[in-house]
Amino acid sequence: MERGPARGHRNVPHTADVRIEAWAPDREGCVAEAVAALVDSFVDTAGATADAETEFAVPAGDDEDMLVGVLNEVIFRLETEGALPLATEVRAADDGGLLVHWRSADAEAVELVGAVPKAVSLHELRLGPDEAGWSCAVTLDV
């Protein structure tokens, strides 16, 4: 995957669904960038202000399973609470899982610019180390 800065994300062309890629020097940073890519795929957060904070744990498992767990939590909280993460911090938990901290805004406070993801597809899911750190690629069902 060609990439510029040490940490970032982008949407890539995909038929019918949305495909995102993210990268960072470490696994936790890559997962946080994947959350930002998911959010950027359907809303414009410019000018939005965080008004809530949320923390949750993702149980230990395969790296890809934990990535899916975090991204599914974004979709779940959007659907059930109208909460949208504006900033994400991810840390490794002592048990091998992930600890996720979000600063979030009400989804009504942002402008919709694309189709809202309904689920994370397991097809061609990837998260792992590469020559420059960690990278992932995820397809989102819309």
Side-chain angles (χ1 to χ4, degrees):
M1 165 184 359
E2 261 184 62
R3 58 190 193 203
R7 183 176 173 134
H9 61 270
R10 65 179 167 215
N11 291 352
V12 292
H14 191 272
T15 57
D17 294 316
V18 173
R19 183 97 171 143
I20 58 173
E21 294 178 347
W23 58 92
D26 56 25
R27 178 186 70 174
E28 293 76 17
C30 188
V31 171
E33 284 295 329
V35 170
L38 183 153
V39 171
D40 287 351
S41 75
F42 69 98
V43 296
D44 179 1
T45 60
T49 304
D51 58 7
E53 294 194 29
T54 303
E55 287 191 353
F56 67 95
V58 176
D62 292 342
D63 291 330
E64 291 172 342
D65 290 341
M66 291 190 294
L67 172 63
V68 170
V70 172
L71 297 178
N72 276 335
E73 190 72 16
V74 173
I75 295 167
F76 174 76
R77 298 224 182 193
L78 176 64
E79 290 176 352
T80 61
E81 301 171 2
L84 193 67
L86 299 179
T88 302
E89 297 167 15
V90 180
R91 300 184 324 270
D94 291 341
D95 68 357
L98 298 174
L99 298 173
V100 181
H101 178 89
W102 284 329
R103 286 184 296 286
S104 58
D106 188 306
E108 298 293 322
V110 297
E111 181 182 347
L112 193 66
V113 296
V116 178
K118 300 296 180 202
V120 177
S121 172
L122 301 180
H123 182 68
E124 296 182 353
L125 173 68
R126 180 180 51 76
L127 169 65
D130 63 18
E131 67 281 349
W134 281 71
S135 64
C136 68
V138 179
T139 301
L140 304 169
D141 296 331
V142 293

